[in-house]
Amino acid sequence: MTSHHSHDPHGERLLDIDGVELCVETFGDPAAPAIVLVAGASASMLWWDAELCGRIAAGGRFVVRYDHRDTGRSTCWPPGRPTYAYRDLAEDVLGILDALGVERAHLVCQSMFGGILLGVDRPDRVASLTFVSTSTGADDLPPPSDDLAMPAEPDPSDPAAVVEYVVAAARACSGGSPYFDEAAIRALAERDVARARNYASTLVNHYAIGFDEPSRGGFGDLTAPTLVVHGDHDPLLPAAHGEALRDAIPGAELLILKGAGHDVPRAVWDDFASAVVRHTAGGPT
Protein backbone atom coordinates (compact mmCIF):
# COMPACT_ATOMS: atom_id res chain seq x y z
CA MET A 1 0.00 0.00 0.00
CA THR A 2 1.46 3.36 -0.94
CA SER A 3 1.17 6.45 1.15
CA HIS A 4 2.55 9.93 0.78
CA HIS A 5 3.24 12.00 3.84
CA SER A 6 2.75 15.75 3.85
CA HIS A 7 3.66 17.48 7.08
CA ASP A 8 2.45 20.67 8.69
CA PRO A 9 3.62 22.43 11.85
CA HIS A 10 1.07 20.65 14.06
CA GLY A 11 2.44 17.23 13.21
CA GLU A 12 -0.62 16.36 11.16
CA ARG A 13 -0.07 14.55 7.87
CA LEU A 14 -2.32 13.45 5.05
CA LEU A 15 -2.01 9.77 4.23
CA ASP A 16 -3.30 8.47 0.91
CA ILE A 17 -5.08 5.23 1.85
CA ASP A 18 -6.35 3.54 -1.32
CA GLY A 19 -7.31 6.87 -2.86
CA VAL A 20 -8.85 8.38 0.29
CA GLU A 21 -6.91 11.11 2.07
CA LEU A 22 -6.95 10.68 5.84
CA CYS A 23 -5.41 13.24 8.17
CA VAL A 24 -3.37 11.57 10.93
CA GLU A 25 -1.37 12.84 13.89
CA THR A 26 0.83 10.77 16.20
CA PHE A 27 2.23 11.27 19.70
CA GLY A 28 5.07 9.47 21.45
CA ASP A 29 7.62 6.88 20.40
CA PRO A 30 6.74 4.94 17.20
CA ALA A 31 8.49 1.90 18.69
CA ALA A 32 6.13 1.83 21.70
CA PRO A 33 2.84 -0.13 21.73
CA ALA A 34 0.41 1.64 19.40
CA ILE A 35 -2.98 2.97 20.48
CA VAL A 36 -5.40 4.23 17.81
CA LEU A 37 -8.05 6.64 19.12
CA VAL A 38 -11.18 6.27 16.97
CA ALA A 39 -13.61 9.17 17.35
CA GLY A 40 -17.39 8.87 17.30
CA ALA A 41 -19.83 9.84 14.55
CA SER A 42 -19.22 13.28 13.01
CA ALA A 43 -16.17 13.78 15.25
CA SER A 44 -12.78 14.76 13.89
CA MET A 45 -9.52 13.94 15.67
CA LEU A 46 -9.83 17.19 17.67
CA TRP A 47 -12.37 15.50 19.94
CA TRP A 48 -9.49 13.39 21.22
CA ASP A 49 -7.73 16.39 22.74
CA ALA A 50 -4.01 16.70 21.99
CA GLU A 51 -3.24 17.09 25.69
CA LEU A 52 -5.09 13.86 26.49
CA CYS A 53 -3.17 12.14 23.67
CA GLY A 54 0.03 13.43 25.23
CA ARG A 55 -0.91 12.07 28.64
CA ILE A 56 -1.48 8.60 27.21
CA ALA A 57 1.75 8.80 25.17
CA ALA A 58 3.62 9.75 28.36
CA GLY A 59 2.65 6.32 29.70
CA GLY A 60 4.93 4.74 27.09
CA ARG A 61 2.51 4.46 24.19
CA PHE A 62 2.51 5.50 20.53
CA VAL A 63 -0.81 7.33 20.19
CA VAL A 64 -2.53 7.83 16.82
CA ARG A 65 -5.52 10.10 16.25
CA TYR A 66 -7.07 10.82 12.87
CA ASP A 67 -9.91 12.51 11.05
CA HIS A 68 -12.59 10.09 9.86
CA ARG A 69 -13.78 10.46 6.29
CA ASP A 70 -16.12 13.46 6.14
CA THR A 71 -14.48 15.13 9.15
CA GLY A 72 -11.61 17.55 9.57
CA ARG A 73 -9.00 17.57 6.83
CA SER A 74 -9.83 14.11 5.47
CA THR A 75 -11.64 13.44 2.18
CA CYS A 76 -15.28 14.55 2.11
CA TRP A 77 -18.23 13.32 0.10
CA PRO A 78 -21.18 15.53 -0.90
CA PRO A 79 -23.51 16.20 2.06
CA GLY A 80 -26.03 13.38 2.41
CA ARG A 81 -24.38 11.29 -0.32
CA PRO A 82 -21.54 9.24 1.14
CA THR A 83 -20.65 6.29 -1.09
CA TYR A 84 -18.89 4.26 1.59
CA ALA A 85 -20.17 1.94 4.33
CA TYR A 86 -19.45 1.47 8.01
CA ARG A 87 -16.99 -1.29 7.12
CA ASP A 88 -14.92 1.15 5.07
CA LEU A 89 -14.57 3.41 8.11
CA ALA A 90 -13.41 0.43 10.17
CA GLU A 91 -10.95 -0.63 7.49
CA ASP A 92 -9.52 2.89 7.36
CA VAL A 93 -7.94 2.01 10.71
CA LEU A 94 -6.11 -0.90 9.07
CA GLY A 95 -4.95 1.35 6.23
CA ILE A 96 -3.53 3.81 8.73
CA LEU A 97 -1.75 1.01 10.62
CA ASP A 98 -0.28 -0.25 7.35
CA ALA A 99 0.89 3.24 6.39
CA LEU A 100 2.53 3.69 9.79
CA GLY A 101 4.11 0.23 9.72
CA VAL A 102 2.15 -0.99 12.76
CA GLU A 103 1.36 -4.71 12.88
CA ARG A 104 -1.10 -4.73 15.81
CA ALA A 105 -2.66 -1.88 17.72
CA HIS A 106 -4.79 -1.24 20.76
CA LEU A 107 -8.07 0.36 19.64
CA VAL A 108 -9.91 2.95 21.74
CA CYS A 109 -13.27 3.53 20.07
CA GLN A 110 -15.88 6.08 21.04
CA SER A 111 -19.65 5.85 20.67
CA MET A 112 -20.88 4.78 17.22
CA PHE A 113 -17.54 3.41 16.06
CA GLY A 114 -17.29 0.62 18.58
CA GLY A 115 -14.57 -1.30 16.77
CA ILE A 116 -16.50 -4.57 16.84
CA LEU A 117 -15.92 -5.22 13.12
CA LEU A 118 -12.16 -5.21 13.47
CA GLY A 119 -12.24 -6.99 16.81
CA VAL A 120 -14.26 -9.86 15.34
CA ASP A 121 -13.01 -9.94 11.75
CA ARG A 122 -9.35 -8.95 12.16
CA PRO A 123 -8.27 -10.11 15.62
CA ASP A 124 -4.72 -10.49 14.29
CA ARG A 125 -4.47 -6.68 14.09
CA VAL A 126 -6.18 -5.84 17.40
CA ALA A 127 -4.10 -6.14 20.58
CA SER A 128 -6.89 -4.89 22.86
CA LEU A 129 -10.16 -2.97 22.71
CA THR A 130 -11.50 -0.09 24.75
CA PHE A 131 -15.12 0.89 24.14
CA VAL A 132 -16.01 4.42 25.29
CA SER A 133 -19.64 5.54 25.65
CA THR A 134 -21.04 2.76 23.51
CA SER A 135 -23.61 -0.03 23.59
CA THR A 136 -24.55 -3.51 22.44
CA GLY A 137 -27.60 -1.94 20.83
CA ALA A 138 -29.91 -4.49 22.46
CA ASP A 139 -33.60 -3.59 22.27
CA ASP A 140 -34.22 -3.96 26.01
CA LEU A 141 -31.71 -1.27 27.03
CA PRO A 142 -32.99 2.09 28.32
CA PRO A 143 -33.69 4.82 25.77
CA PRO A 144 -31.99 8.21 25.89
CA SER A 145 -32.82 10.33 28.92
CA ASP A 146 -36.04 12.35 28.80
CA ASP A 147 -33.91 15.42 29.48
CA LEU A 148 -31.82 14.96 26.32
CA ALA A 149 -32.80 17.93 24.15
CA MET A 150 -30.71 17.94 20.98
CA PRO A 151 -30.63 21.23 19.06
CA ALA A 152 -32.15 21.64 15.60
CA GLU A 153 -29.77 21.16 12.66
CA PRO A 154 -28.10 24.46 11.72
CA ASP A 155 -27.70 26.13 8.35
CA PRO A 156 -24.36 24.59 7.32
CA SER A 157 -23.42 27.70 5.33
CA ASP A 158 -23.43 29.82 8.52
CA PRO A 159 -20.27 28.96 10.52
CA ALA A 160 -21.42 30.84 13.62
CA ALA A 161 -24.71 28.90 13.66
CA VAL A 162 -22.81 25.63 13.20
CA VAL A 163 -20.55 26.44 16.16
CA GLU A 164 -23.61 27.21 18.32
CA TYR A 165 -25.14 23.90 17.24
CA VAL A 166 -21.99 21.92 18.12
CA VAL A 167 -21.78 23.60 21.53
CA ALA A 168 -25.48 22.97 22.23
CA ALA A 169 -25.20 19.33 21.13
CA ALA A 170 -22.14 18.80 23.33
CA ARG A 171 -23.96 20.41 26.26
CA ALA A 172 -26.95 18.10 25.73
CA CYS A 173 -24.70 15.03 25.48
CA SER A 174 -22.88 15.97 28.69
CA GLY A 175 -26.08 15.04 30.57
CA GLY A 176 -25.80 17.83 33.10
CA SER A 177 -22.22 16.86 33.96
CA PRO A 178 -20.58 19.22 36.45
CA TYR A 179 -17.50 19.00 34.21
CA PHE A 180 -19.07 20.51 31.08
CA ASP A 181 -16.76 23.38 30.06
CA GLU A 182 -18.60 25.60 27.62
CA ALA A 183 -15.62 27.85 26.86
CA ALA A 184 -13.38 24.89 26.04
CA ILE A 185 -16.07 23.23 23.88
CA ARG A 186 -16.72 26.51 22.03
CA ALA A 187 -13.01 26.90 21.27
CA LEU A 188 -12.89 23.29 20.04
CA ALA A 189 -16.03 23.76 17.90
CA GLU A 190 -14.67 26.96 16.33
CA ARG A 191 -11.42 25.21 15.44
CA ASP A 192 -13.25 22.13 14.17
CA VAL A 193 -15.57 24.11 11.90
CA ALA A 194 -12.74 26.29 10.55
CA ARG A 195 -10.48 23.31 9.91
CA ALA A 196 -12.99 21.05 8.13
CA ARG A 197 -13.01 20.56 4.37
CA ASN A 198 -16.82 20.52 4.42
CA TYR A 199 -18.64 20.69 7.73
CA ALA A 200 -22.00 20.24 5.97
CA SER A 201 -20.81 16.70 5.19
CA THR A 202 -19.54 16.25 8.74
CA LEU A 203 -22.99 17.01 10.13
CA VAL A 204 -24.89 14.37 8.17
CA ASN A 205 -22.82 11.78 6.33
CA HIS A 206 -21.98 9.36 9.12
CA TYR A 207 -25.69 9.06 9.83
CA ALA A 208 -26.41 8.30 6.16
CA ILE A 209 -24.12 5.27 5.73
CA GLY A 210 -25.04 1.62 5.79
CA PHE A 211 -24.19 -0.52 8.81
CA ASP A 212 -22.76 -3.98 8.22
CA GLU A 213 -22.85 -6.82 10.67
CA PRO A 214 -19.48 -8.35 11.44
CA SER A 215 -19.05 -11.41 9.25
CA ARG A 216 -18.17 -13.78 12.08
CA GLY A 217 -20.36 -12.86 14.99
CA GLY A 218 -21.01 -10.34 17.71
CA PHE A 219 -19.68 -9.00 20.99
CA GLY A 220 -19.52 -12.49 22.50
CA ASP A 221 -16.99 -13.46 19.82
CA LEU A 222 -14.45 -10.81 20.76
CA THR A 223 -11.20 -12.34 21.99
CA ALA A 224 -9.07 -9.23 22.57
CA PRO A 225 -8.83 -7.99 26.17
CA THR A 226 -11.61 -5.42 26.48
CA LEU A 227 -12.16 -2.40 28.69
CA VAL A 228 -15.56 -0.69 28.70
CA VAL A 229 -15.59 2.97 29.77
CA HIS A 230 -18.86 4.76 30.46
CA GLY A 231 -19.90 8.05 32.04
CA ASP A 232 -22.51 7.82 34.78
CA HIS A 233 -24.19 10.98 33.40
CA ASP A 234 -24.47 9.69 29.81
CA PRO A 235 -27.95 10.82 28.63
CA LEU A 236 -27.71 9.28 25.15
CA LEU A 237 -26.71 5.78 26.27
CA PRO A 238 -27.48 5.52 29.99
CA ALA A 239 -24.98 3.58 32.11
CA ALA A 240 -26.92 0.30 31.68
CA HIS A 241 -25.57 0.25 28.11
CA GLY A 242 -22.01 0.09 29.40
CA GLU A 243 -22.93 -2.64 31.87
CA ALA A 244 -24.60 -4.65 29.09
CA LEU A 245 -21.50 -4.30 26.93
CA ARG A 246 -19.27 -5.53 29.74
CA ASP A 247 -21.58 -8.51 30.30
CA ALA A 248 -21.67 -9.36 26.58
CA ILE A 249 -17.89 -9.51 26.07
CA PRO A 250 -15.94 -12.38 27.65
CA GLY A 251 -13.71 -11.13 30.44
CA ALA A 252 -14.44 -7.43 29.86
CA GLU A 253 -13.86 -4.88 32.60
CA LEU A 254 -15.99 -1.78 33.20
CA LEU A 255 -14.70 1.65 34.27
CA ILE A 256 -17.39 4.13 35.26
CA LEU A 257 -16.30 7.76 34.84
CA LYS A 258 -18.10 9.57 37.63
CA GLY A 259 -19.54 12.90 36.52
CA ALA A 260 -18.95 12.29 32.81
CA GLY A 261 -21.67 12.27 30.17
CA HIS A 262 -21.39 10.91 26.62
CA ASP A 263 -17.81 12.21 26.50
CA VAL A 264 -14.46 12.21 28.29
CA PRO A 265 -14.19 15.66 29.95
CA ARG A 266 -10.87 17.05 31.15
CA ALA A 267 -11.66 16.37 34.82
CA VAL A 268 -11.53 12.60 34.19
CA TRP A 269 -8.51 12.57 31.86
CA ASP A 270 -6.12 11.28 34.52
CA ASP A 271 -8.43 8.37 35.38
CA PHE A 272 -9.08 7.64 31.72
CA ALA A 273 -5.45 7.87 30.58
CA SER A 274 -4.15 5.72 33.43
CA ALA A 275 -6.84 3.09 32.78
CA VAL A 276 -5.96 2.97 29.07
CA VAL A 277 -2.23 2.72 29.77
CA ARG A 278 -2.85 -0.05 32.29
CA HIS A 279 -5.21 -1.90 29.92
CA THR A 280 -2.73 -1.76 27.04
CA ALA A 281 0.24 -2.99 29.08
CA GLY A 282 -0.31 -6.73 28.70
CA GLY A 283 0.65 -9.21 26.05
CA PRO A 284 2.52 -8.92 22.75
CA THR A 285 1.85 -5.86 20.58
Side-chain angles (χ1 to χ4, degrees), residues 55-96:
R55 290 193 198 190
I56 297 171
R61 301 290 179 269
F62 179 53
V63 177
V64 181
R65 68 174 185 171
Y66 70 99
D67 292 329
H68 283 296
R69 302 174 186 218
D70 279 317
T71 76
R73 296 175 59 201
S74 293
T75 299
C76 282
W77 277 252
R81 299 205 303 280
T83 57
Y84 56 88
Y86 181 73
R87 182 171 296 278
D88 296 306
L89 291 175
E91 290 179 353
D92 285 346
V93 174
L94 300 181
I96 290 168

Side-chain angles (χ1 to χ4, degrees), residues 94-105:
L94 300 181
I96 290 168
L97 294 181
D98 291 341
L100 296 176
V102 174
E103 192 62 40
R104 296 179 82 212

